Amino acid sequence: MKKKFVIWTLVLFSLYGLLLGLYLFQWADFGVPDAYKGTAADPTTFMTDRQLELAEDYSRYKDFLSFITEPLEWVIYLGVMVFGISLIFKQFSEQASRFKIIQIPLYVLLLQTVTTIILFPFDYISRRLSISYGISTQSFSSWMRDELIGFWVGFVIMAILITVLYWLMNKFRKRWWLYAWMLLVPFLVFMMFIQPVVIDPLYNDFTELQDKQLEEKILGLASQADIPAERVYEVNMSEKTNSMNAYVNGIGSNLRIVLWDTTLNRLKDNEVLFIMAHEIGHYVMNHLYMNLLGVIASSFVGLFLAYHLMHYTMRKWGEKWKVKDVSDIAALPVFFLLLSLLSFIASPVELAISRNAEKAADEYAIQMTEDPEAAVGSFQELTVNGLSEVNPPALVKYLRYGHPTMMERIHMLEQYQEEKQE
């Protein structure tokens, strides 16, 4: 079984990489349709030839790396089962302590460590790619610090979730998935509440917006939308990236309006206001809560399917893997594998819903600010600074894009401007 696994992995992965490379570097067209040429959505009207060349190359390499890395996680989880590494992790954790509350987090730590080490070269290549194209400005020490923070934050959260999950598996043999989902709901709400004030500050320094005149204008927009915000936060992202961003996150008293300092440095005030109006639109249309409901609903379906698929998988391969039961911690990689596959299958639908929400936020922002010129300028500047592709290949759009393409977004703004002038 081990030999077959290695051979099939090498054959399928090589074929996948070849087809992916041909699609992105040979078959896919990065240009815009004739109908958009010469318009504000045409990158040749606001980018230099060099910028166009860099954007196309960067997009191809970035997309290739992203697509090639995703199935690697599946291979790792399956390989851990096939080669008996999961059993070794289980035995080590059992020798370390006789208490499940120690054994399970220790197993999670071992599995996460191996996964992180194997995927680390690809993360590093992604970083080097971003630096070479002038997107990332982050030093290696700073990047490693963020990686380590992410590792330990992820471990703590996952250790808690998996410890509770396996307690439920052992106590409720047929309904563990349902009770796990019921406990997951308040946990997701709690995480949404603490994210802006506990987790985000671990990575970056947040301060009150220094430009008080701009803050007053942004809070004015927030007031029109009945957003209970008393201040706007600025985050020092320029030491890490040249990309720009802004967002509204959190719920209740922890809701925050946040601007990256790169956005402040590169956009005019009216362009910043459009970007913030877009983020405010998400709040007004309850996209934050709709996203939460979407995660809750998808987790219900995911856990239900994982329950049945786990039992099927254990019946078919459990004996070969020497894992007798679903509730055995050694079966955890199978659970992760199934959830990852289910998430991948659901991603086109989730991304389509996200693109629709982003389009609605764009429409809200332009109606609120009534400044199409500033809106178009902000999107063009975002494209230039991020070396973004305005019209990505179909496979990239439907499997990676949670926003409409820049071509679609700018075209919508031009249509609004034409309708306004009529």
Side-chain angles (χ1 to χ4, degrees), residues 161-178:
L161 291 176
I162 298 303
T163 301
V164 173
L165 175 68
Y166 273 85
W167 177 79
L168 292 172
M169 282 182 171
N170 283 282
K171 190 171 182 62
F172 307 100
R173 308 290 292 181
K174 295 183 178 181
R175 291 288 183 267
W176 61 261
W177 66 272
L178 179 60

Side-chain angles (χ1 to χ4, degrees), residues 185-232:
V185 172
F187 180 80
L188 290 172
V189 175
F190 174 72
M191 290 300 298
M192 193 172 180
F193 181 75
I194 69 167
Q195 177 82 32
V197 295
V198 176
I199 297 178
D200 290 348
L202 295 175
Y203 296 91
N204 300 291
D205 294 327
F206 290 79
T207 59
E208 292 185 22
L209 183 60
Q210 300 302 307
D211 188 339
K212 294 303 176 184
Q213 291 184 339
L214 179 59
E215 181 181 48
E216 186 176 344
K217 293 176 183 178
I218 294 172
L219 290 177
L221 292 178
S223 179
Q224 291 179 41
D226 294 325
I227 293 181
E230 298 179 353
R231 61 182 60 88
V232 178

Side-chain angles (χ1 to χ4, degrees), residues 58 62 66 69 72 77 81 84 118 142 167-168 170-171 239 242 260 306 326 345 365 390 393 410:
Y58 177 62
K62 179 184 63 175
S66 175
T69 304
L72 269 180
Y77 291 142
M81 297 301 300
I118 295 174
S142 174
W167 177 79
L168 292 172
N170 283 282
K171 190 171 182 62
E239 63 183 28
N242 284 318
W260 287 12
V326 169
I345 293 169
V390 297
I410 294 175

Side-chain angles (χ1 to χ4, degrees), residues 64-121:
F64 180 82
L65 189 60
S66 175
F67 279 120
I68 207 73
T69 304
E70 188 157 19
L72 269 180
E73 187 178 356
W74 310 339
V75 174
I76 293 170
Y77 291 142
L78 193 55
V80 165
M81 297 301 300
V82 170
F83 287 95
I85 299 172
S86 184
L87 290 175
I88 295 174
F89 289 167
K90 176 190 174 183
Q91 292 167 2
F92 180 85
S93 61
E94 288 176 341
Q95 290 171 0
S97 174
R98 62 189 181 87
F99 299 106
K100 293 289 184 182
I101 200 170
I102 301 296
Q103 293 174 4
I104 294 176
L106 183 54
Y107 179 95
V108 171
L109 179 61
L110 292 170
L111 180 61
Q112 182 174 315
T113 300
V114 167
T115 305
T116 301
I117 290 173
I118 295 174
L119 294 177
F120 181 82

